[in-house]
Amino acid sequence: MTITKHFILAAGGTGGHMVPAHALAAELIARGHHVALITDARGAKIPGLFKGVQMHVLPAGRLTRNPTSWLPGVRAILSGRRMAMRLYETFEPSVVVGFGGYPAFPALLGAYSAGIATAVHEQNAVLGRVNRMVAGRVDVIATSYPDTERLKSAWKEKTHLVGNPVREEVVKLGTQEYPPLDENGIFRVLVTGGSQGAGILSRVVPSGLAMLPVALRRRLQVVQQARAEDIERVRAAYVEHGIPADVQTYLTDLPERLGWSHLVIARAGASTIAELTAAGRPAILVPLPSAMDDHQTANVREMVAAGGARAIAEDSFTPVELAKQMQKLGLDSAGLANAARRALICGRPNAVRDLADLIERIGPAADSPKRVELKPAFAS
């Protein structure tokens, strides 16, 4: 018999933090538990996530290298901590789970003060800044990669490899056959830069695809995510080169698009890697060099070593280099299918189940379900 518990998930406002939190929320709710989300204003605006879940927006102070940010940052963190503790008084969570990002910090500080069990989940192959700040005090650390950098040996006993949760629709793709591709068939390419798009993909990909031999270029069919400021230019470039392309600012049907694709060109964010390996899709990956601790370069290593992806450093990612790689891949359908299988080997399709099992095991059971009516000052 499952004992109903209450869980608070705290995630910063990027897709990399929000998507795995969303997947865990869905799994916990399916198991009969009650879930609420703490996030920031950006997270609250990401479409398609956390429908029907109580969502609470807290101030998330940033402590940067600039000393002028320290005082307002500390004030925001302390304000968020107080608000979180008020929420905990009424919702009575068994566990507070942080997924990284600044909103997770005051939520976890409030949990420490309230004596509530805590856990963090790290999506990247390098332990993130907020998770490093709290890792010594939390009860459990869940990781997505077998080798996570910046993880101290003193935390080894409470660290568990579970993988990075992805949506069930993506997991199902990994149980299906890779889309057939013959030398004369349509070659379907998905281009995505994560929840915010990527300017370099908008600049390089249309030009690189235009350099392909005519016979290969005519086979292309592209779906690309682009930033709002780039979208008209990208659409015009594809029209000019005669390449059929659907260009959008946000792909709400990403699992369907992923299942449709033969090849993905993308940044190397944690959620992107998790979805590619769960679905079994080969990729050309361009790590974001400015990512904290260069974690995107670390993220690609396992998939590249397995033969499921090719990584191109941003300073080498030119139209000429992309065309060279695309021509090799487009003319080798058997090689693409093999790369898809090798990508799938790196996947951890049971990540959400394993993370939910882990979270269920810590903290006491809640007595009874409670809905929370919060004041407008910190309710969304």
Side-chain angles (χ1 to χ4, degrees):
M1 175 180 170
T2 299
I3 299 174
T4 296
K5 293 185 178 184
H6 299 172
F7 296 98
I8 296 283
L9 309 186
T14 67
H17 299 308
M18 295 289 284
V19 169
H22 167 81
L24 178 61
E27 176 69 14
L28 292 172
I29 290 169
R31 296 184 183 199
H33 300 301
H34 299 268
V35 177
L37 171 72
I38 286 175
T39 189
D40 57 9
R42 287 191 306 160
K45 294 177 182 177
I46 295 178
L49 302 181
F50 294 97
K51 291 180 180 178
V53 174
Q54 296 178 57
M55 185 178 294
H56 310 291
V57 176
L58 266 62
R62 286 173 170 262
L63 300 178
T64 69
R65 294 180 180 178
N66 185 347
T68 62
S69 73
W70 296 350
L71 183 58
V74 169
R75 284 176 174 168
I77 290 169
L78 293 177
S79 176
R81 173 181 167 274
R82 288 191 299 270
M83 291 178 179
M85 292 181 69
R86 285 165 52 195
L87 170 60
Y88 302 158
E89 288 175 0
T90 49
F91 191 77
E92 297 181 0
S94 297
V95 186
V96 176
V97 187
F99 282 83
Y102 289 99
F105 190 47
L108 291 164
L109 289 180
Y112 300 150
S113 299
I116 299 167
T118 55
V120 292
H121 178 269
E122 178 56 58
Q123 301 87 51
N124 292 296
V126 182
L127 199 65
R129 176 181 291 179
V130 169
N131 283 349
R132 290 201 298 270
M133 292 168 66
V134 300
R137 295 187 63 183
V138 297
D139 297 288
V140 165
I141 301 170
T143 62
S144 301
Y145 292 86
D147 297 310
T148 302
E149 297 177 19
R150 309 290 290 270
L151 191 64
K152 294 183 180 180
S153 57
W155 305 331
K156 184 177 180 180
E157 289 191 3
K158 64 179 179 181
T159 299
H160 304 263
L161 173 63
V162 297
N164 193 4
V166 298
R167 289 166 282 191
E168 182 60 28
E169 308 97 292
V170 176
V171 173
K172 288 180 179 177
L173 295 176
T175 67
Q176 301 168 9
E177 291 293 326
Y178 177 73
L181 176 65
D182 60 48
E183 62 182 18
N184 297 312
I186 298 298
F187 184 18
R188 301 192 294 264
V189 180
L190 172 64
V191 186
T192 175
S195 60
Q196 303 300 317
I200 191 169
L201 300 183
S202 295
R203 293 192 299 273
V204 171
V205 175
S207 299
L209 298 185
M211 293 180 176
L212 293 173
V214 174
L216 179 54
R217 191 168 72 238
R218 286 175 175 170
R219 293 172 50 206
L220 291 175
Q221 192 169 343
V222 178
V223 171
Q224 180 160 349
Q225 180 191 29
R227 293 174 176 173
E229 58 267 32
D230 297 330
I231 197 164
E232 292 306 323
R233 175 175 55 81
V234 174
R235 285 172 175 165
Y238 281 122
V239 170
E240 179 184 351
H241 302 311
I243 299 172
D246 179 4
V247 185
Q248 301 182 28
T249 55
Y250 193 86
L251 300 174
T252 56
D253 57 347
L254 184 59
E256 181 179 342
R257 303 289 195 168
L258 190 58
W260 163 93
S261 66
H262 293 110
L263 176 72
V264 178
I265 303 172
R267 284 298 198 185
S271 288
T272 297
I273 301 293
E275 290 180 338
L276 290 170
T277 56
R281 289 298 181 273
I284 293 174
L285 299 171
V286 187
L288 176 68
S290 61
M292 183 72 65
D293 301 312
D294 197 21
H295 66 250
Q296 289 202 3
T297 296
N299 288 350
V300 305
R301 289 174 186 152
E302 183 182 29
M303 193 176 176
V304 169
R310 299 183 182 195
I312 304 175
E314 183 169 302
D315 57 5
S316 300
F317 186 62
T318 63
V320 171
E321 179 60 25
L322 176 62
K324 186 188 306 181
Q325 297 294 333
M326 287 293 297
Q327 187 167 357
K328 292 177 183 177
L329 293 167
L331 298 176
D332 184 10
S333 57
L336 273 172
N338 184 52
R341 288 190 292 271
R342 291 178 177 274
L344 194 60
I345 291 171
C346 299
R348 295 178 177 87
N350 297 322
V352 68
R353 183 201 67 189
D354 293 344
L355 180 58
D357 288 347
L358 181 63
I359 298 305
E360 279 185 327
R361 292 198 295 267
I362 60 177
D367 293 332
S368 59
K370 298 179 181 180
R371 290 288 297 180
V372 187
E373 298 298 332
L374 296 177
K375 297 179 180 179
F378 67 105
S380 173

